[in-house]
Amino acid sequence: MTRADVNDVPRPDAQLHFGVFFQGVNHWTIWSDPSSGSQIDPASFLRVARTAERGFFDAFFLGDGLRLRESEGGVHELDVAGRPDSIVQLSAIAAATERIGLVSTSNTTFNEPGDLARRLAGLDLLSGGRAGWNVVTTHNAWTGENFRRGGFLDHADRYRRAEEFLSLARAVWNGWAEGAAAGSAEARSWSVPGSVGRVSSQSDHFDIDLAPTLPRSRQGHPVIFQAGDSAEGRDFAARNVDVIFSAHGTDFDDALAFAEDVRARLRAAGRAEDALRILPGTEIIIGATEKEAEEKARWVRLEQVTPAVALGIASRLWGFDLAGRDADGPLPAEDPVVAAYDGKFGTRQLGETLATVAEWRARAEANGWSLRETVIELGPQRGHVGTPAGLAERFARFARYGAVDGFNISPYLVPDGLDDIVDLLVPELQERGVYRTAYTGTTLREHLGLAPVA
């Protein structure tokens, strides 16, 4: 798209918003390459955050890890890495950055609203209004074993608990009236009488009675993020959140359909269509030419999907351990073992396993693919590949037609994986007028162009 086309699109003044997700665990981050750094050294987190800030990104996202990842009851050794408490780590980054938003992925299933709301409020005050909260609902029992009540919640109950949790957190953040704290040493008390309200709630999920301990930040509340692709997840986002993540950011038509669905749910919830930002997760691979970009993408996939990773993914699909098989050989001849899903060891859904295996076999036979090649070709597709100029044109179209408001980028290398994006892609986007050339605000809410908190 060129500037001459701008008047023909519905959102000619659209601006892309970028976030960066420091994954820490899973095979998408190439930890085995010599150029890859530590996934747990604080210097790695800071390097990524500072690079993102240099590129005027809206936010740095950090996942939470309440327990080492497991698969079928054992530690998943192919992507295990230690992760610090996200709010602690983001507090350290707040002191070493100036503008970038700081978003903690914090869980509503195994936290309590009074405690988590206070910790997030602390990060928001410490950072000058740059905090965000990615609301997640843990789905598995093995995480629950780290907590006194154990177990896991059914899908619908997770969202009911999360919605009540978020409502209570907002009540905590609203607990202090403006001007509540004493303004001079001559004041008769530390706060204006009646200016700090109590938060009380008794329900099936919570029983709390507290007085909030912190005033509101410069942005009012932490910005609320959420990733949910189910109908319940989309409805939860439409009612409650400021930014929704999605897996619908690679194909334009798919992204636009998702965005239109979310906007319809916003209207049904009584909110304005522009009350929420849509930031699909993506990976971006850049080359000087299209051929170079495709060659780099092939290298990235081979590094991500090693033989051991391919066998691990296929094992979860087939339902039994394929360790020791030849990943560069044919797909397993055995039929998959289809067991009832009990929720204990992750989100594996087996209802369509037989159909998936049949498709894999047919496609592998037609194309002469090995098991590993099949996993690479038919597994999750990670994002965008191209030249800086080509990607900038593509992303401008996505934004100006309302398919996305931006992207949450997962680098395939840490800590240097953002360099090409900041140094090569961002200038092309700026040239097309679809990306900021400087921060114009100081808070995360301002970066995202969200309305002030009432």
Side-chain angles (χ1 to χ4, degrees), residues 117-123 125 172-176 211-216:
R118 178 176 179 272
R119 294 169 61 214
L120 288 165
L123 174 63
L125 284 168
V172 171
W173 296 331
N174 287 330
W176 282 39
T213 59
L214 294 172
R216 298 210 304 187

Side-chain angles (χ1 to χ4, degrees), residues 10-250:
R11 299 184 178 195
D13 298 322
Q15 294 287 293
L16 280 163
H17 301 273
F18 278 173
V20 58
F21 179 42
F22 191 108
Q23 297 183 93
V25 295
N26 72 48
H27 68 273
W28 298 115
T29 302
I30 302 172
W31 56 265
S32 58
D33 187 82
S35 62
S36 179
S38 171
Q39 303 290 317
I40 58 175
D41 187 335
S44 292
F45 294 92
L46 187 55
R47 169 79 166 88
V48 173
R50 282 177 166 165
T51 302
E53 188 168 69
R54 179 167 62 85
F56 307 118
F57 278 46
D58 289 56
F60 174 92
F61 297 82
L62 188 59
D64 207 3
L66 300 178
R67 183 175 170 120
L68 290 178
R69 293 191 180 212
E70 297 185 22
S71 177
E72 304 300 333
V75 172
H76 188 31
E77 296 176 343
L78 295 178
D79 64 16
V80 171
R83 284 186 291 188
D85 177 83
S86 57
I87 296 176
V88 170
Q89 186 74 13
L90 291 170
S91 297
I93 293 172
T97 57
E98 296 180 355
R99 295 293 185 91
I100 193 165
L102 305 165
V103 184
S104 168
T105 298
S106 297
N107 164 307
T108 60
T109 306
F110 299 114
N111 278 299
E112 296 298 326
D115 175 63
L116 182 58
R118 178 176 179 272
R119 294 169 61 214
L120 288 165
L123 174 63
D124 209 19
L125 284 168
L126 180 71
S127 64
R130 292 189 281 144
W133 174 20
N134 179 26
V135 178
V136 293
T137 63
T138 297
H139 50 65
N140 52 61
W142 48 264
T143 296
E145 290 171 0
N146 275 17
F147 298 87
R148 183 169 60 183
R149 71 173 174 271
F152 66 100
L153 295 174
D154 289 337
H155 186 80
D157 287 337
R158 297 203 322 263
Y159 277 112
R160 281 193 288 270
R161 178 182 169 92
E163 195 149 14
E164 186 178 345
F165 194 119
L166 180 54
S167 176
L168 289 170
R170 284 184 165 133
V172 171
W173 296 331
N174 287 330
W176 282 39
E178 292 295 329
S184 71
E186 290 75 31
R188 297 181 61 184
S189 62
W190 71 273
S191 67
V192 177
S195 61
V196 178
R198 298 193 71 82
V199 177
S200 299
S201 179
Q202 292 77 41
S203 70
D204 291 342
H205 291 293
F206 304 111
D207 185 356
I208 67 172
D209 183 13
L210 60 87
T213 59
L214 294 172
R216 298 210 304 187
S217 75
R218 189 181 302 169
Q219 69 173 351
H221 293 174
V223 175
I224 304 301
F225 296 75
Q226 184 253 356
D229 203 21
S230 66
E232 294 95 334
R234 297 185 192 195
D235 283 338
F236 176 88
R239 291 191 301 269
N240 297 288
V241 313
D242 301 305
V243 182
I244 186 171
F245 299 136
S246 84
H248 302 273
T250 303

